[in-house]
């Protein structure tokens, strides 16, 4: 398939083929909530994308991909993103994953993704493309899964808090202040967060800060800028948090 601007991408659901791929180099973009009749593998080549899928928040950084099952409502936001997207017709493949997950893209998987993006929209079903498609599905099923995601609550009061924290991750909000914004008590807020996400509120909030840090670092921001934007008192405090949660320093993460 050819390479597209965001507003020129063909609707994959309108093409009758087992597997198709598109290459898109996008500037700032908000997709709005939507779904596909086909399952989607979205691969990040360059840039960062924030994806809300079901009850999960995902930060998609370079050399990672996300699997989105057919019919799943999702939305994506990016300030600039180069991606390669594959669409699988569920009727044409056995054992496609039914859950959303992120995966680390191996060298082989990367080459298969890029290869599919150059296939014609209609390829012979008895040709090499079909055999490569089977290898591609095997690689997806056996890929190492990534953990750059966070469960989202369904309670509307908690959603107010989540939105506030996502918009101002550097805000030094106390639990009482957030509870007041949500129209609930701090005790109710804490209890409902654990019930709906399986995490304590403080742990959830810490993980959100980490995801935002990974997003900013992947955009090429310096450690000093990331530390400041996330409200840390010093670079060393940010580096200490990052190393404790990721096992490596921000600098080493960027090199990897």
């Amino acid at each position: 398939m050819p390479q597209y601007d965001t507003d020129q991408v063909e609707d994959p659901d309108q093409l009758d083929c087992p597997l198709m791929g598109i290459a898109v180099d996008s500037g700032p973009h908000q997709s709005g909530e939507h779904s596909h009749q086909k399952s989607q593998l979205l691969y990040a080549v360059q840039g960062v994308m924030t994806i809300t899928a079901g009850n999960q928040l995902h930060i998609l950084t370079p050399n990672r991909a996300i699997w989105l099952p057919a019919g799943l409502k999702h939305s994506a936001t990016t300030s600039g993103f180069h991606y390669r997207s594959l669409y699988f017709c569920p009727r044409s493949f056995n054992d496609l994953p039914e859950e959303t997950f992120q995966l680390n893209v191996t060298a082989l998987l990367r080459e298969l993704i890029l290869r599919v993006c150059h296939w014609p929209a209609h390829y012979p079903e008895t040709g090499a493309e079909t055999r490569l498609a089977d290898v591609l599905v095997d690689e997806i099923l056996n890929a190492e899964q990534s953990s750059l995601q966070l469960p989202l609550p369904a309670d509307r009061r908690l959603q107010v808090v989540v939105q506030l924290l996502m918009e101002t991750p550097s805000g030094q909000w106390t639990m009482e202040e957030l509870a007041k914004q949500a129209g609930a008590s701090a005790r109710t807020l804490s209890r409902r967060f654990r019930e709906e996400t399986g995490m304590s509120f403080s742990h959830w909030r810490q993980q959100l800060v980490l995801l935002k840090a990974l997003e900013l670092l992947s955009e090429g921001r310096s450690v000093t800028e990331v530390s400041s934007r996330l409200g840390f008192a010093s670079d060393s405090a940010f580096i200490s948090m990052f190393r404790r949660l990721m096992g490596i320093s921000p600098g080493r993460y960027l090199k990897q």
Side-chain angles (χ1 to χ4, degrees):
M1 298 294 290
Q3 194 151 317
Y4 295 95
D5 292 326
T6 307
D7 58 358
Q8 297 176 331
V9 175
E10 293 189 51
D11 183 352
D13 293 329
Q14 300 302 313
L15 295 178
D16 185 21
C17 55
L19 173 61
M20 66 166 287
I22 59 173
V24 178
D25 295 342
S26 167
H29 178 63
Q30 290 186 330
S31 71
E33 188 175 65
H34 64 287
S35 64
H36 298 289
Q37 297 173 24
K38 297 182 177 181
S39 296
Q40 180 182 11
L41 182 72
L42 182 62
Y43 167 52
V45 178
Q46 181 179 337
V48 181
M49 181 175 282
T50 301
I51 299 170
T52 301
N55 63 345
Q56 296 278 335
L57 173 70
H58 297 262
I59 302 295
L60 195 60
T61 59
N63 292 321
R64 287 186 171 88
I66 183 171
W67 177 263
L68 301 167
L72 177 71
K73 290 184 177 180
H74 59 279
S75 61
T77 302
T78 179
S79 58
F81 193 61
H82 294 188
Y83 69 87
R84 306 298 177 254
S85 190
L86 308 187
Y87 298 89
F88 299 76
C89 178
R91 298 187 306 274
S92 302
F93 296 92
N94 296 320
D95 301 323
L96 290 180
E98 297 181 357
E99 302 294 333
T100 302
F101 61 93
Q102 280 195 57
L103 55 148
N104 297 321
V105 176
T106 63
L108 174 56
L109 181 54
R110 177 181 182 274
E111 292 306 314
L112 288 169
I113 292 170
L114 298 181
R115 177 76 66 87
V116 173
C117 288
H118 289 92
W119 285 359
H122 300 282
Y123 56 85
E125 295 189 16
T126 58
E129 290 88 353
T130 296
R131 295 190 294 273
L132 284 176
D134 290 337
V135 175
L136 174 63
V137 172
D138 283 342
E139 284 296 300
I140 293 170
L141 292 173
N142 291 287
E144 178 187 17
Q145 295 193 16
S146 175
S147 58
L148 300 185
Q149 66 248 4
L150 197 59
L152 294 174
D155 189 303
R156 291 185 178 181
R157 296 167 298 179
L158 272 57
Q159 289 176 352
V160 171
V161 173
V162 167
Q163 188 64 33
L164 190 60
L165 292 176
M166 289 178 62
E167 291 175 351
T168 57
S170 63
Q172 301 302 308
W173 304 94
T174 66
M175 175 69 87
E176 288 70 22
E177 290 170 337
L178 290 169
K180 185 177 180 180
Q181 291 288 331
S185 68
R187 183 176 181 181
T188 296
L189 195 70
S190 177
R191 175 175 56 82
R192 292 295 294 162
F193 247 95
R194 185 176 292 279
E195 289 175 352
E196 295 209 8
T197 68
M199 304 167 67
S200 70
F201 176 72
S202 60
H203 185 200
W204 190 96
R205 188 176 187 176
Q206 186 178 67
Q207 289 297 112
L208 176 64
V209 170
L210 176 62
L211 290 185
K212 286 293 183 182
L214 293 170
E215 179 181 3
L216 293 170
L217 288 169
S218 296
E219 290 176 350
R221 314 282 183 178
S222 68
V223 168
T224 297
E225 183 178 0
V226 175
S227 173
S228 175
R229 290 183 64 165
L230 294 180
F232 284 86
S234 64
D235 289 0
S236 60
F238 167 66
I239 293 170
S240 176
M241 180 280 298
F242 193 95
R243 182 181 286 114
R244 177 167 50 84
L245 296 179
M246 293 293 291
I248 56 176
S249 68
R252 185 174 293 274
Y253 171 82
L254 288 174
K255 289 180 181 178
Q256 290 182 351

